[in-house]
Amino acid sequence: MQNPLPLFCFLVFAFWVVANGSESKPEIGFYELKTGDFSVKFTNWGARVVSLVLPNKHGKLEDIVLGYDSVEEYVNDTTYFGATVGRVANRIGGAQFILDGTLYKLIANAGNDTLHGGPKGFGRLVWKVKKHHNEGHSPYITFTYHSFDGEQGFPGNLSVSVTYTLTGHNMAVKMKAKALNKATPVNLAHHSYWNLGGHNSGDILSNEIQIFGSHITLVDKNLIPTGKLASVKGTPYDFLKPASIGSKIKGLPNGYNINYALDGGASKKLKTAAIVYDKKSGRVMEVLTNQPGVQFYTAYYLVNVKGKDGFVYQPQAGLCLETQGFPDAVNHPNFPSQILAPGKTYVHEMLIKFTIKG
């Protein structure tokens, strides 16, 4: 049974939140884009993808992203299912950084570190729906958010948008941000958990993956980069040639949760970051990006998480491919810079292409 969300916003919830120091009552809704037998549903809570339905090799329609049935569950979510995360995705060591001689102290929400922008990062806020066009060959939806100076400790006002566009069986994701008055770090990421066999089909260990990154950013025990890169060759991280996830994961204590430095680095044109193939369903997912890195995560923090239709997600129930700048780049000058100067615009593009292999 598929999650019975509607064609447009079928149900709107209102609840009290604190924003910019004052109480407000924003509305949260569900929205859909559809082209043929391909449909994607969203919520403006975190500008999230909540379902993505497309056929398998037998023509059966299935939802291939992990998620929940209700808005309340998304509001209480700690997994970032389908979210747009920021102002700075991934981890910032020690929840602080120095920019232009000023020390900025952030709010720690992962031990002593900051994860995905802090406890009230972009994935845990209400976005505005600026445009929602569900007609023609390329339906799209645009969410916007204004981040204020000092929000979660980050400097400067920031205007943010994310646009999802469907074309055929492809979904384009364009994340943009403009620094309005101060230099600030920006690193947005899309955080869907994918299971090409269907969100309720079990683990992803039989999925075959290829990642176009010859190096990873080494991390300490808290997953904070050391500043050094290491070759993947001869390690469980080597997916330069397609291989099943399960064939190499045994060499790791929990599973995968690492940033790959993509070959070619940041680019103006989209390049392939990873390809995933599920033999049983025949689905193939190719992720392209203009960013220098991709975080490969096999969801080992999911333990008894009740999801859609009552299905309970366990570790390795899905995989994330979060295209991004390098984690903790604000504290590593040798990493590609994430600092956005006033008046400049950050653009992060992703293209997620789905095909069928017999």
Side-chain angles (χ1 to χ4, degrees):
M1 177 180 176
Q2 295 177 7
N3 190 19
L5 299 180
L7 189 57
F8 286 98
C9 177
F10 89 104
L11 187 58
V12 175
F13 292 83
F15 63 95
W16 291 98
V17 297
V18 176
N20 295 8
S22 62
E23 289 187 332
S24 60
K25 201 173 185 180
E27 293 181 341
I28 302 176
F30 289 109
Y31 307 82
E32 185 181 54
L33 298 179
K34 185 176 177 66
T35 173
D37 56 8
F38 181 41
S39 66
V40 186
K41 297 185 177 73
F42 309 87
T43 177
N44 57 324
W45 176 258
R48 296 173 184 245
V49 169
V50 300
S51 74
L52 188 148
V53 176
L54 76 166
N56 65 10
K57 63 183 179 181
H58 303 295
K60 183 180 179 182
L61 296 175
E62 292 167 314
D63 183 358
I64 64 168
V65 295
L66 278 58
Y68 302 109
D69 288 324
S70 70
V71 163
E72 289 94 338
E73 289 169 299
Y74 280 104
V75 170
N76 294 319
D77 170 57
T78 59
T79 68
Y80 303 94
F81 280 157
T84 300
V85 295
R87 178 179 303 197
V88 175
N90 217 302
R91 287 169 168 80
I92 295 178
Q96 63 182 21
F97 63 93
I98 296 173
L99 176 59
D100 295 334
T102 299
L103 175 64
Y104 292 95
K105 293 187 176 181
L106 311 175
I107 302 175
N109 61 327
N112 295 320
D113 310 312
T114 296
L115 174 65
H116 293 327
K120 292 184 180 179
F122 292 172
R124 294 176 174 174
L125 300 167
V126 183
W127 293 55
K128 292 181 180 179
V129 180
K130 184 178 181 180
K131 295 180 181 179
H132 180 204
H133 185 76
N134 198 28
E135 297 178 358
H137 297 294
S138 300
Y140 65 92
I141 188 167
T142 298
F143 300 98
T144 61
Y145 179 71
H146 176 81
S147 180
F148 60 91
D149 186 7
E151 185 172 17
Q152 300 296 286
F154 290 99
N157 294 308
L158 192 72
S159 176
V160 189
S161 70
V162 56
T163 299
Y164 297 93
T165 305
L166 305 190
T167 305
H169 281 172
N170 303 331
M171 181 174 72
V173 187
K174 179 176 279 190
M175 293 166 270
K176 298 176 69 176
K178 184 174 183 179
L180 301 180
N181 60 339
K182 293 181 182 179
T184 185
V186 178
N187 182 29
L188 307 180
H190 176 72
H191 208 296
S192 280
Y193 289 64
W194 305 98
N195 188 322
L196 297 185
H199 80 93
N200 56 356
S201 64
D203 65 55
I204 44 77
L205 297 179
S206 64
N207 281 191
E208 182 180 276
I209 191 168
Q210 183 176 15
I211 301 176
F212 294 82
S214 303
H215 294 79
I216 56 172
T217 49
L218 290 176
V219 295
D220 64 19
K221 64 179 181 179
N222 296 317
L223 300 178
I224 303 299
T226 64
K228 296 181 179 179
L229 302 183
S231 172
V232 300
K233 291 183 179 180
T235 76
Y237 298 102
D238 187 353
F239 289 103
L240 290 169
K241 294 182 178 180
S244 70
I245 295 170
S247 69
K248 300 191 177 189
I249 201 170
K250 293 178 182 179
L252 302 172
N254 297 308
Y256 291 95
N257 195 5
I258 195 73
N259 175 67
Y260 283 76
L262 294 173
D263 296 340
S267 59
K268 292 182 179 180
K269 294 183 179 181
L270 294 178
K271 61 184 180 297
T272 301
I275 300 173
V276 184
Y277 170 50
D278 176 55
K279 185 176 181 180
K280 186 175 180 180
S281 70
R283 294 188 183 97
V284 179
M285 180 177 74
E286 181 180 0
V287 178
L288 300 92
T289 186
N290 64 346
Q291 295 298 294
V294 61
Q295 187 83 10
F296 177 41
Y297 171 50
T298 55
Y300 58 75
Y301 283 117
L302 295 185
V303 180
N304 299 323
V305 175
K306 185 178 179 182
K308 301 173 189 175
D309 305 321
F311 188 80
V312 179
Y313 303 129
Q314 300 292 356
Q316 331 303 341
L319 62 89
C320 299
L321 289 166
E322 306 155 57
T323 61
Q324 60 180 4
F326 291 0
D328 199 33
V330 289
N331 291 311
H332 297 285
N334 57 312
F335 284 179
S337 176
Q338 295 169 0
I339 303 304
L340 187 65
K344 298 295 183 179
T345 300
Y346 159 101
V347 180
H348 177 173
E349 292 188 85
M350 291 180 72
L351 179 62
I352 305 169
K353 300 173 66 174
F354 296 100
T355 54
I356 293 293
K357 191 174 175 180

